[in-house]
Amino acid sequence: LSAERTKAVKLSINEGKMVVSTSNPEFGEAEETIDIEGYKGPTLDIGFNAKYLIDFLQAVGTKEVLLELKDGETQGLLRPADEEGGDYRYVVMPMRI
């Protein structure tokens, strides 16, 4: 549903949940809440190109992944949560949203 040109999605991360949202002037808005573990801290908002996140999720082949973030303006590191995914690492740069 994200805009065709940017494919931007916003991740809002709180303790216990992550809200993935996007909007498209032609089709409207979408929002999905995902339960997460391990995050403690203030709300962190960060934007990514959805295509890059989908590429990682398709390639990694595991049910659970780790998303390591420093803040809303620096790169994120994605990797498998267990050893089944091997030593696969994926760095994705954030977008301004």
Side-chain angles (χ1 to χ4, degrees):
L1 182 66
S2 62
E4 187 65 33
R5 188 174 66 83
T6 64
K7 297 187 180 9
V9 294
K10 176 182 173 185
L11 307 181
S12 294
I13 303 168
N14 291 305
E15 188 172 335
K17 70 176 182 175
M18 176 172 63
V19 178
V20 180
S21 60
T22 190
S23 65
N24 184 319
E26 295 179 32
F27 300 112
E29 300 178 354
E31 183 176 286
E32 186 73 30
T33 301
I34 302 168
D35 293 328
I36 62 171
E37 297 176 11
Y39 182 77
K40 298 199 185 323
T43 299
L44 175 65
D45 293 326
I46 190 166
F48 290 112
N49 181 316
K51 179 167 177 12
Y52 298 147
L53 299 178
I54 291 168
D55 287 347
F56 167 77
L57 294 171
Q58 289 176 336
V60 73
T62 61
K63 291 182 108 179
E64 294 186 7
V65 297
L66 298 175
L67 171 59
E68 298 176 9
L69 300 168
K70 178 180 175 184
D71 56 39
E73 298 176 1
T74 56
Q75 74 278 356
L77 175 66
L78 293 155
R79 61 188 178 97
D82 55 32
E83 295 177 12
E84 286 181 25
D87 195 26
Y88 188 61
R89 303 284 190 263
Y90 191 83
V91 177
V92 61
M93 297 303 291
M95 300 176 71
R96 290 209 168 124
I97 49 173

